[in-house]
Amino acid sequence: YFCLRHGSVRLRESRRHSSDSIELMLPPDTRQLSFRLVHDDDHEVIRWIYADPVARRFLPDLATTGGIQSFIDRQIARYEKFGYGIWILQALNDGRVIGAAGLTWQDTDHGEVLEVGYGLASKERGNGLATEAGKACLAFGFNVLGVGRIASLVHAENLASRKVAERLHAHHRVFVHPRLGEGFIMYYTDIGDHEI
C-alpha cells in the first residue's frame, strides 16, 4: 500500500554481474510530493538543495564536488544493496525539485537504526513539506520494510530539523553520534507508536 515497486532495474552494471538486478522501492506520492531515485548526473541538483549557509553548516561535505559525488555514490550503493535510500523530492504540481528525503541505516550507541533523513532547498522550507516527506518515509519503513524502530539523528543546534523531528517522532534522548561526537538528539518512533 505504501510502496510503488519499479520492475527489475539494473544499476551500474559494471559493478554487478550481468544477470543481477534489484527491485527498487519508492514511497507513493503524498498530497504534494513525489519521490524519485538519485541519479549519477544529479550533481547540480544536490548542490542546489544544500547550497544555503544553514545546510552547509550541518552538512559541510555537500558544499564540495567530492562530497556531492560521495553522496550520490552512497545512494546508488544503498539502492543496489537494499532497494531504497535517500530519494529526490519533487513537487507534484510542477515537477520542480524541492529537496531530498529517505531512509538509511546508521550506527548508534544502541546498534544499527533505520534513520529517516530530510533536507529541503531553502526557498521550500516552512511549508510543512519536510514533515510530509518524513511521514511518508516513516510509513514506508514500518509498513513496507517492517522495521521496529525508526529514528532521526539531529544536531541539537539545528532547530529547524529538530522541529520536524518533533512532529515525526514519539520519543527523544540525548545522543552521542559514533562518528560526529556529542551534541546530537536521537528522535525515534517504535512501531507500536505508529498509526498504521
Side-chain angles (χ1 to χ4, degrees), residues 17-125:
H17 298 293
S18 61
S19 62
D20 286 349
S21 61
I22 187 144
E23 191 168 40
L24 301 174
M25 297 181 286
L26 297 169
D29 295 346
T30 67
R31 189 172 64 85
Q32 301 176 84
L33 303 171
S34 66
F35 295 78
R36 75 156 172 82
L37 300 177
V38 172
H39 301 144
D40 269 330
D41 59 355
D42 271 334
H43 297 83
E44 291 309 312
V45 169
I46 302 303
R47 189 182 316 278
W48 179 77
I49 292 170
Y50 298 103
D52 66 286
V54 173
R56 289 187 174 181
R57 177 181 175 197
F58 297 107
L59 297 166
D61 287 355
L62 295 181
T64 69
T65 299
I68 291 170
Q69 184 63 56
S70 178
F71 174 88
I72 290 171
D73 290 344
R74 285 195 308 275
Q75 304 328 308
I76 291 172
R78 286 168 174 147
Y79 301 155
E80 290 176 342
K81 183 173 183 180
F82 302 111
Y84 58 89
I86 299 293
W87 303 291
I88 299 296
L89 296 171
Q90 295 181 289
L92 274 181
N93 62 347
D94 61 9
R96 74 187 185 280
V97 171
I98 64 161
L103 295 161
T104 61
W105 289 98
Q106 303 292 336
D107 288 324
T108 76
D109 52 352
H110 286 202
E112 268 197 327
V113 67
L114 191 63
E115 179 186 22
V116 56
Y118 42 84
L120 299 185
S122 59
K123 71 176 191 173
E124 304 291 351
R125 295 178 195 147

